[in-house]
Every structure is written in structure tokens, then in C-alpha cells.
Amino acid sequence: MAKEPVRVLVTGAAGQIGYALVPMIARGVMLGADQPVILHMLDIPPAAEALNGVKMELLDAAFPLLKGIVATTDVVEACTGVSVAVMVGGFPRKDGMERKDVMSKNVSIYKSQASALEAHAAPSCKVLVVANPANTNALILKEFAPSIPEKNITCLTRLDHNRALGQIAEKLNVQVTDVRNAIIWGNHSSTQYPDVNHATVKTPSGEKPVRELVADDEWLNTEFISTVQQRGAAIIKARKQSSALSAASSACDHIRDWVLGTPEGTYVSMGVYSDGSYGVPAGLIYSFPVTCSGGEWTIVQGLPIDEFSRKKMDATAQELSEEKTLAYSCLN
Amino acid sequence: MMSSNSLVQRLMKWCPWLLRDEPKKPVKVLVTGAAGQIGYAIVAMIARGLMLGADQPVVLHMLDLPVAADALNGIRMELIDAALPLLRGVVATSDQAEAFKGVNVAVLIGGWPRKDGMERKDLIGKNVAIYKSQASALQQHAAPNCKVLVVANPANTNALVLKQFAPAIPAKNITCLTRLDHNRALGQLAEKLNVHVADVKNAIIWGNHSSTQFPDTSHATALTDRGERPVRELVADEKWLREEFVSTVQQRGAAVIKARKQSSSLSAASAACDHMRDWILGTPKGTWVSMGVYSDGSYGVPEGIFYSFPVTCEKGEWSIVQGLQIDDFARSKMDASVTELKEEKRIANGFVI
């Protein structure tokens, strides 16, 4: 018996990440090869023709899992009945723009999208905010959609998490699938803290700590961290465009693991509403290590935090508190 | 005497990999023109198992021009950043020999693009040089039995040049992409009939991947609540099927460019994955697909050109579906595409010293 289709919303769908993401969703990469989907794609009126072009291409691809397409500039139509919402749309930073200006634009967008989601999405809709500043956009969304359970609003740090795994795999010359349990703490920004203290590598003689195998604390505490933190900029330098393929792929990983569960013994990084775990102030959207089961995420508890990590984790919490203050000042 | 239980325990301790299910050996897949739009879309799909299956590890070889080296490296970086379980390696290079070395599958997207004011003749000429050179690399460096899909336009004629200059490669291993047109045809029929596209099958694209392609619905069927019925009967509008439907499919590429201000990438990449997947893993029973293949004279199409036919695939081989009735209307359309392809061949040969 075929499954009932799931409605998946992608905002900013006419952009680069959207264009990479929608075929992945339509091919079952996000929700599984047996899960039919109906795609809702939203973008702003100037992008209406381009969005229609994406719709045409999705039809032209004859995807077996794609049971319907809604391509619209109307946020109500876009949000209606959706069980998964990937918010890629936002105001991009332009040359000469101050941080406050970017924040201000995005705060308005996420306030308005919050109302639409709350009123029209399916009750247990799972939300992933990708557009930057991701953590703060997600916080605004949460604040203005009070009837959406706070646990259902998350932001993307899986890209940073995957980048961390990739860097370790390159350093150790192993397959990336043999590396796990890196953690991204904090803000999806340059203050993120990529932590390998609990990361391991599968070897022929069992699972070994990354720190032991790399045997280079200096590298792990400096170059590794800054490489992961600044990887986005490195991609822009090479491609003259920001990451789309890897961002889209990581968004699929985030939703898939959330909905279908993480493998035994593996944790992933998600930006979630802080409950005060690990001395992180409650009331921020902060990236933590989580496991997922039964459609729910749970913060991995009890991991020892050394002094070095504490400082890093506090610094990124500090930045998020400042962003929160700035965001609220834009609303008044 | 050791009990079998303790032997198993010792094996688990000394060489645990012997007792794990061995995953498949990686397949090397080459994408040329990989720094472009279609390349960017397709490498993500290949690395996710959408071309060769969710259990088939791949090593990606990506080739582009030196001028695109930074961009290509950026894509390599993104593929690493995506931590993809099936991706066992990435080679990003502007060196043809390195790119073609040991590849089992080659998707040739790189080519000279048509520019404003360019004559078709010039487009063919520029691409003859490229495909002649790629033919040498293919013959010299690729793995035996490498399967080749030419995407870059003029696809059929580029495939022909490739075949002519790589005589050691079996002609049956060189194909060109008309699966995009085939999928577009299914999509249009599904919209017309208001059914799901997975319930429509056996449209055919005959001929050249150009405006003379002939999208043929004579043998297409759709699944309805009354079972599988001929599309001709369900649409019940011969005029629409012969005119509007044909021109919509023929001109769909231009329609997408008009809307997006860029040519189709997502759908082209997806169709290329479908083409290769069905070729290698086989077509479902009772379903045929369209592939540009080296003509054997079937259906009155002359040998010696690459022409899109209806095919089924089994055990890694394609076979032209034989015995389909061809009416006068189809005959004239099919012949027109033959004429164009013969003319393209003549022009291409004119560029070969």
C-alpha cells in the first residue's frame, strides 16, 4: 500500500539552494525512496517567472514520487497543509549593508512567515530555517508562531557538521562514513564551535577517538576549527557563488534524520531551542549534539566539556544573545 | 578440535571485514563540463545514488577547462562538505587523460555552446574538434566496456564524431540523450490526462535531439481506473497529439529558457541519471524508454547515424523495440529527422581533415 503524500514547503525556491534542493526532495533523498511528496514552492513576485520555470522542469523530470507541485508567491497558499517547511528564503546581505540592516529585513520576513505557518501549516509541521542569520531567524519564527511547539522549529548547522566530518576524513585519509560524532555548538556563523572531543573513527581495530588518531591538538584547536568556520567563504571564493549543493544536501540530512531517526550510537548537530543544557542560556536557538527517534530530537546529555570548549561555547552564546537583542530592537 | 563458534570469534577479532557484507566495489563516473550548470546538478545526484542505485559507491571524475579550475575545485570542496556516504573519491581536473582514466561511465556534458549569431555549421565545427579529442582519451584511458552518454549539443552528431574517432569502443556503448524529451512528453501527456506521470508510459522520441525530433504517442499508454488504455484513445484529439503536443515537446527547452533565463539543468541532469540507470539496471517489464543509439537500419533509419529509438534494457544492454507500426504521419516526421542528421554528418565530416 503506497504511503500518503507529504507536503513539503521550500521558501526561496527560485534561488540556488532551492534549485538544488527540490530535485533531491522529489527523488526521495529527504524523506525516503518510498515516500511520495507534494512540493510547495514559494518565492517573491519578481521571481515568479523563474519559479514557474522550476515548476516546468520538475514536470519535465517525470519524477515518480512527485505527486503535485504548488508554485506560488502567496505565503498562505504556500504554507497550507505542509508537514515539512524548509525556509531558504531571506534577505541576502549585499555589499555595504550593515549587520543591523540585514537583521531588520529578515526579522520582518520571519515575523510574517511565522503567522502564515502557524495559521495554515499541518499541526505537527517540522520547520528547518536555512536562511541567514539562521539561528535568529528561527528564534523570530518561534516567537511569532507561539502555537507551533518550540521543538518543531530548528535551524541548519548540519552543513557545518558535515564539513567537520569531511575535514577529519581528509586529514586521516579515511572514508567520511567512518567518522562520526563531531559536534557543532552554537551559532551558524563564524563563532560556531566545531568540537571533536567526542568524535570517533571506525578502524579495523574498533572505534577510536579522533583526537588520538589525529595526534595533533594544535591543528584540532586552531586550523581545523577555522577551516570549518570559514568554509562558506572559501566556497564563495572558489565558485563566486555561495554553497548550494552542499547546503541542500545537508538540509535533506537534517530533515531525514529528524523524521526517520539517527543510527544507533550516532549523533548529529541541529540548531534547536535551548533548554539550558550545557550551561547554554535557555531561550536561544543554539546548535547542540542530538539523537533523533520517533520523529523527535533529544539533546545528547552528559558529555564532559573542557575549559577550551567552555570558552568557545560561551562566546557563541554571547553572540546569539546580542543578535536576539538586535532583532528585538528592529521590531520596536 | 576448535568448535566453529570459537573459530567465528577468532575471525571476528582478527579480520572482522570478512564477516561483514562486502559493499559493492566503487564505479568510476566521469562528468565533463562539470563546472557548468548541468554538471553542478548532476554530480549531486550521482553522489546520492540516483544514477546507479542507493547501494552503489561511486568515485566521481570531473573535467572542465583550465579557466574553470577554481570553480571546479569549489564543487569538489562542496562534495566533500556534503559528507556523502556513497562518494568514495573525487577527482577534479582539467587534464583529459586523468579525467578518463579507468572510468566505467562517462557523461559528456562539456562542449562548445551555441552563441548568438552562430550558425549551426559553426557549432558543429567547434564541437567536432572537442569530440575528436575526447574520443582518443576515451579509447586510451577508460575502463573496458565504458558506457558513454553524450549530452552536449549537437548531441547526436557529437556522439557520431566520438564513435568515428574511438573505433575500439563498441558502437553500442555510445549513446546520446533524448530521455529529457521523452520525460517531457510523458509529463505533457500526464498533464493533459490529469493523471500521475508514473502512470503514463511508452511515448517515443524518434530522431535528432533538435527541433526535428518526433515525439510519438502512437504506442503510449496510461493507467486509468479502467486499466491500461492507449493514450490516443484517452486524449481523443488527433490534432492536438500531432500538432500542439509535438511542438510543445520540441520547443520545451526554449520555454524553460524564457522562464528561467537559463537553460534546463535540473531536468537535464535528472534525465541523464534516468538514461544511465535504466541502461545499467534495466527497464521495468513492459516499459520502453528513448535513447539516441547507433542505428542498425531498424525502421528504415539508415545505418551510420545516431538516432533516437524506443529501447528496452536488460543486463546492461539496450535493444531497439521492434515491430511497432509506423503510420504515414510518423514516417514523414521520422524521415525529416534522418535528413537533418545526414546533413549534420556531412557538415561534421567537412571539418575532419
Side-chain angles (χ1 to χ4, degrees), chain B residues 227-285:
Chain B
E228 204 138 338
R229 313 291 318 159
V231 160
R232 284 211 122 92
E233 180 191 301
L234 293 170
V235 170
D237 186 348
E238 206 58 29
K239 188 170 189 312
W240 183 86
L241 284 168
R242 286 183 172 198
E243 295 173 10
E244 198 181 317
F245 165 77
V246 166
S247 68
T248 297
V249 174
Q250 284 174 344
Q251 293 160 31
R252 187 64 161 186
V256 172
I257 290 176
K258 187 158 180 278
R260 295 193 64 230
K261 308 290 181 279
Q262 289 182 76
S263 48
S264 314
S265 303
L266 177 167
S267 50
S270 187
C273 287
D274 288 342
H275 173 115
M276 208 42 97
R277 185 201 61 238
D278 286 352
W279 187 0
I280 293 173
L281 300 181
T283 43
K285 197 166 164 61

Side-chain angles (χ1 to χ4, degrees), chain B residues 105-335:
Chain B
V105 171
V107 184
L108 308 185
I109 301 174
W112 197 279
R114 173 174 237 140
K115 300 201 162 87
D116 262 338
M118 226 173 154
E119 298 268 336
R120 193 172 181 78
K121 182 163 100 65
D122 304 318
L123 183 68
I124 293 173
K126 291 283 192 203
N127 280 290
V128 162
I130 294 171
Y131 279 84
K132 187 174 168 195
S133 154
Q134 306 239 301
S136 306
L138 182 67
Q139 197 170 245
Q140 268 186 279
H141 302 289
N145 207 32
C146 176
K147 286 176 159 57
V148 183
L149 168 59
V150 177
V151 176
N153 280 319
N156 301 52
T157 299
N158 288 341
L160 186 62
V161 170
L162 194 75
K163 182 232 170 282
Q164 282 171 340
F165 289 96
I169 307 274
K172 66 186 176 73
N173 281 356
I174 299 174
T175 63
C176 72
L177 189 73
T178 53
R179 182 59 175 269
L180 177 52
D181 313 283
H182 178 99
N183 286 349
R184 284 170 172 165
L186 297 180
Q188 291 302 308
L189 292 173
E191 290 259 290
K192 181 76 172 176
L193 295 171
N194 199 25
V195 298
H196 190 248
V197 72
D199 293 334
V200 186
K201 61 178 190 175
N202 298 355
I204 301 166
I205 304 294
W206 298 99
N208 198 6
H209 177 64
S210 75
S211 57
T212 69
Q213 63 173 265
F214 172 47
D216 175 11
T217 56
S218 320
H219 310 283
T221 59
L223 194 58
T224 69
D225 40 28
R226 286 170 292 146
E228 204 138 338
R229 313 291 318 159
V231 160
R232 284 211 122 92
E233 180 191 301
L234 293 170
V235 170
D237 186 348
E238 206 58 29
K239 188 170 189 312
W240 183 86
L241 284 168
R242 286 183 172 198
E243 295 173 10
E244 198 181 317
F245 165 77
V246 166
S247 68
T248 297
V249 174
Q250 284 174 344
Q251 293 160 31
R252 187 64 161 186
V256 172
I257 290 176
K258 187 158 180 278
R260 295 193 64 230
K261 308 290 181 279
Q262 289 182 76
S263 48
S264 314
S265 303
L266 177 167
S267 50
S270 187
C273 287
D274 288 342
H275 173 115
M276 208 42 97
R277 185 201 61 238
D278 286 352
W279 187 0
I280 293 173
L281 300 181
T283 43
K285 197 166 164 61
T287 299
W288 59 72
V289 294
S290 303
M291 283 173 64
V293 296
Y294 195 62
S295 174
D296 62 356
S298 296
Y299 295 101
V301 173
E303 293 181 39
I305 52 173
F306 275 82
Y307 195 92
S308 184
F309 286 97
V311 301
T312 53
C313 303
E314 197 185 351
K315 296 196 177 76
E317 306 279 349
W318 55 263
S319 311
I320 295 174
V321 175
Q322 298 293 351
L324 299 173
Q325 297 280 26
I326 306 295
D327 64 20
D328 290 343
F329 176 76
R331 185 79 258 157
S332 68
K333 291 284 191 192
M334 288 164 69
D335 290 345

